[in-house]
Amino acid sequence: MCDITDPIFTNADKAREHLESIRWPDGAVCPHCKAADNRKLVGKSHRPGLYQCNHCRQQFSVTVGTVFERSKVPLNKWLLAVHLMAASKKGMSAHQLHRMLGVTYKTAWFMAHRIREAMTEGMFTPMGGDGDIVEVDETFIGHDKTKKPKGVKKGRGYQHKYKVLTLVERQGRARSFHVDEVNAKTIVPILRQEIDRKSHIMTDEAGQYKHLKGDFGNHDFVRHGQGEYGRGPIHTNTIEGYFSIFKRGMKGVYQHCAKHHLHRYLAEFDFRYNGRDITDVERRDEALRSISGKRLTYRRINETAYA
């Protein structure tokens, strides 16, 4: 449970001190030149938490070079937003953040996207390994673009059906991708790049997975079309469980997602799934450790919409 009376959620100075302890466990590091030789600036002429690097002489605070940089939202509200999104199994809508944080809806929406950016996995390492099982499947969210959903008035825009490919290690990580097409030409190169070649792959009987045996250590599949859901260890139940949470979140909490934002929503659900065995507090602090080097400006969000 989230205790919203925690000082780091109510006091900007306590929030800054907590973030400094997470981002700089061994002391402040200059985000400009990476030097650890610096001094804290104190006194009425300096804002709280300001440092000056003795090497490059530039000033900085704990938010410089992070998704929080140049935000006018108090740091304690940022930490509460991160906690809420890291702890909510099916996500936290911008409307709910707007109500709980006491900020405008537009601000809450932008904050949520910046937090999702922080949750994005950095350098990918191959999934699976010798003897490890990786389940692979795809799902669809949204509406079929050839049909007008019930309740949508004529002329109104609505979300088209988007295709999502997910890889899940048994007892391990999940990694999801927005793909344009569900076919071998699109999917197989992703599997070759993201999965260790010694892994044991589990899929359904779809045609795009027919020729994987030569690429990986082994490949088994279940015949859903024949009413089969598994044969002992041969199943895709793990990934179906992931999709269950993902779809309930996208339909019940977020309800709508634009195509150019989908990759961030996928990163959010992957992040929570991959941290399912740790506490909400540990998951929040893990997200805070990932805020560096991931600036996301409002202009950049809008540019991707028209790219």
Side-chain angles (χ1 to χ4, degrees), residues 18-29:
H18 181 75
L19 187 57
E20 287 179 352
S21 71
I22 294 294
R23 192 181 180 200
W24 299 327
D26 300 316
V29 176

Side-chain angles (χ1 to χ4, degrees), residues 99-161:
R99 289 190 291 268
M100 295 188 72
L101 300 179
V103 298
T104 66
Y105 170 75
K106 183 178 178 180
T107 296
W109 179 88
F110 187 32
M111 290 175 71
H113 275 298
R114 289 166 96 166
I115 293 168
R116 291 185 190 103
E117 187 77 5
M119 291 176 171
T120 303
E121 191 174 355
M123 295 295 291
F124 285 170
T125 55
M127 299 183 73
D130 191 6
D132 291 337
I133 295 174
V134 179
E135 297 180 20
V136 180
D137 201 1
E138 71 285 332
T139 192
F140 302 86
I141 63 167
H143 305 286
D144 188 336
K145 63 183 178 181
T146 63
K147 300 176 182 177
K148 183 169 74 68
K150 239 180 180 180
V152 174
K153 295 180 180 178
K154 190 176 180 182
R156 289 271 185 92
Y158 57 89
Q159 176 178 317
H160 290 173
K161 186 169 281 190

Side-chain angles (χ1 to χ4, degrees), residues 7 20-21 23 28 61 68 112 114 119 123-124 144-145 160 188 192 196-197 225-226 247 272 275 283 285 302 304:
E20 287 179 352
S21 71
R23 192 181 180 200
S61 69
F68 301 158
R114 289 166 96 166
M119 291 176 171
M123 295 295 291
F124 285 170
D144 188 336
K145 63 183 178 181
H160 290 173
V188 173
R192 289 172 178 164
D196 188 294
R197 295 300 181 91
Q226 298 178 17
K247 286 192 168 186
R272 279 195 298 267
R283 201 178 307 111
D285 288 348
N302 288 332
T304 60

Side-chain angles (χ1 to χ4, degrees), residues 43 52 54 64 70 83 108 145 159 167 175 185 228 255 259 293 307:
Q52 183 169 40
N54 293 327
V64 172
R70 296 191 179 183
H83 188 100
K145 63 183 178 181
Q159 176 178 317
L167 325 175
R175 190 174 295 167
K185 185 178 179 181
E228 181 182 71
Q255 298 178 17
K259 181 179 181 180

Side-chain angles (χ1 to χ4, degrees), residues 189-226:
I190 295 175
L191 303 188
R192 289 172 178 164
Q193 179 177 322
E194 302 295 333
I195 302 177
D196 188 294
R197 295 300 181 91
K198 296 178 181 178
S199 303
H200 186 170
I201 307 299
M202 298 283 185
T203 70
D204 57 24
E205 75 274 37
Q208 61 266 22
Y209 304 122
K210 279 185 177 178
H211 306 292
L212 290 179
K213 203 158 193 175
D215 291 298
F216 299 98
N218 203 353
H219 173 217
D220 283 302
F221 58 91
V222 289
R223 300 175 180 86
H224 289 325
Q226 298 178 17

Side-chain angles (χ1 to χ4, degrees), residues 10-294:
T10 59
N11 184 292
D13 290 331
K14 294 292 184 184
R16 188 187 66 255
E17 290 168 7
H18 181 75
L19 187 57
E20 287 179 352
S21 71
I22 294 294
R23 192 181 180 200
W24 299 327
D26 300 316
V29 176
C30 175
H32 305 291
C33 69
K34 310 305 179 188
D37 181 19
N38 54 71
R39 63 190 179 94
K40 191 170 186 177
L41 302 178
V42 295
K44 293 182 179 179
S45 60
H46 302 295
R47 68 180 186 273
L50 188 65
Y51 292 80
Q52 183 169 40
C53 178
N54 293 327
H55 185 263
C56 70
R57 308 303 296 172
Q58 294 206 57
Q59 295 181 355
F60 62 92
S61 69
V62 71
T63 61
V64 172
T66 75
V67 294
F68 301 158
E69 186 172 352
R70 296 191 179 183
S71 172
K72 294 180 181 179
V73 176
L75 203 50
N76 54 295
K77 293 192 177 186
W78 271 111
L79 263 60
L80 179 56
V82 173
H83 188 100
L84 292 169
M85 290 188 66
S88 304
K89 190 173 184 179
K90 296 187 286 293
M92 176 71 62
S93 72
H95 275 293
Q96 186 67 16
L97 285 176
H98 140 70
R99 289 190 291 268
M100 295 188 72
L101 300 179
V103 298
T104 66
Y105 170 75
K106 183 178 178 180
T107 296
W109 179 88
F110 187 32
M111 290 175 71
H113 275 298
R114 289 166 96 166
I115 293 168
R116 291 185 190 103
E117 187 77 5
M119 291 176 171
T120 303
E121 191 174 355
M123 295 295 291
F124 285 170
T125 55
M127 299 183 73
D130 191 6
D132 291 337
I133 295 174
V134 179
E135 297 180 20
V136 180
D137 201 1
E138 71 285 332
T139 192
F140 302 86
I141 63 167
H143 305 286
D144 188 336
K145 63 183 178 181
T146 63
K147 300 176 182 177
K148 183 169 74 68
K150 239 180 180 180
V152 174
K153 295 180 180 178
K154 190 176 180 182
R156 289 271 185 92
Y158 57 89
Q159 176 178 317
H160 290 173
K161 186 169 281 190
Y162 304 138
K163 307 169 186 71
V164 173
L165 172 71
T166 298
L167 325 175
V168 176
E169 298 169 328
R170 294 255 176 103
Q171 310 300 322
R173 301 166 293 166
R175 190 174 295 167
S176 303
F177 306 86
H178 173 210
V179 293
D180 292 326
E181 298 295 337
V182 176
N183 55 36
K185 185 178 179 181
T186 301
I187 289 177
V188 173
I190 295 175
L191 303 188
R192 289 172 178 164
Q193 179 177 322
E194 302 295 333
I195 302 177
D196 188 294
R197 295 300 181 91
K198 296 178 181 178
S199 303
H200 186 170
I201 307 299
M202 298 283 185
T203 70
D204 57 24
E205 75 274 37
Q208 61 266 22
Y209 304 122
K210 279 185 177 178
H211 306 292
L212 290 179
K213 203 158 193 175
D215 291 298
F216 299 98
N218 203 353
H219 173 217
D220 283 302
F221 58 91
V222 289
R223 300 175 180 86
H224 289 325
Q226 298 178 17
E228 181 182 71
Y229 290 94
R231 301 186 306 280
I234 301 172
H235 62 79
T236 55
N237 295 338
T238 312
I239 200 167
E240 293 294 345
Y242 173 91
F243 283 151
S244 175
I245 297 170
F246 171 64
K247 286 192 168 186
R248 278 182 284 164
M250 294 304 293
K251 290 180 179 179
V253 176
Y254 295 125
Q255 298 178 17
H256 173 81
C257 168
K259 181 179 181 180
H260 52 279
H261 296 317
L262 179 56
H263 66 286
R264 292 191 198 96
Y265 286 92
L266 294 173
E268 176 191 351
F269 281 91
D270 286 351
F271 174 83
R272 279 195 298 267
Y273 182 87
N274 295 342
R276 63 194 179 280
D277 294 328
I278 58 179
T279 67
D280 293 342
V281 169
E282 290 170 329
R283 201 178 307 111
R284 175 201 69 209
D285 288 348
E286 190 63 34
L288 292 175
R289 289 186 190 94
S290 303
I291 62 174
S292 301
K294 295 179 179 178

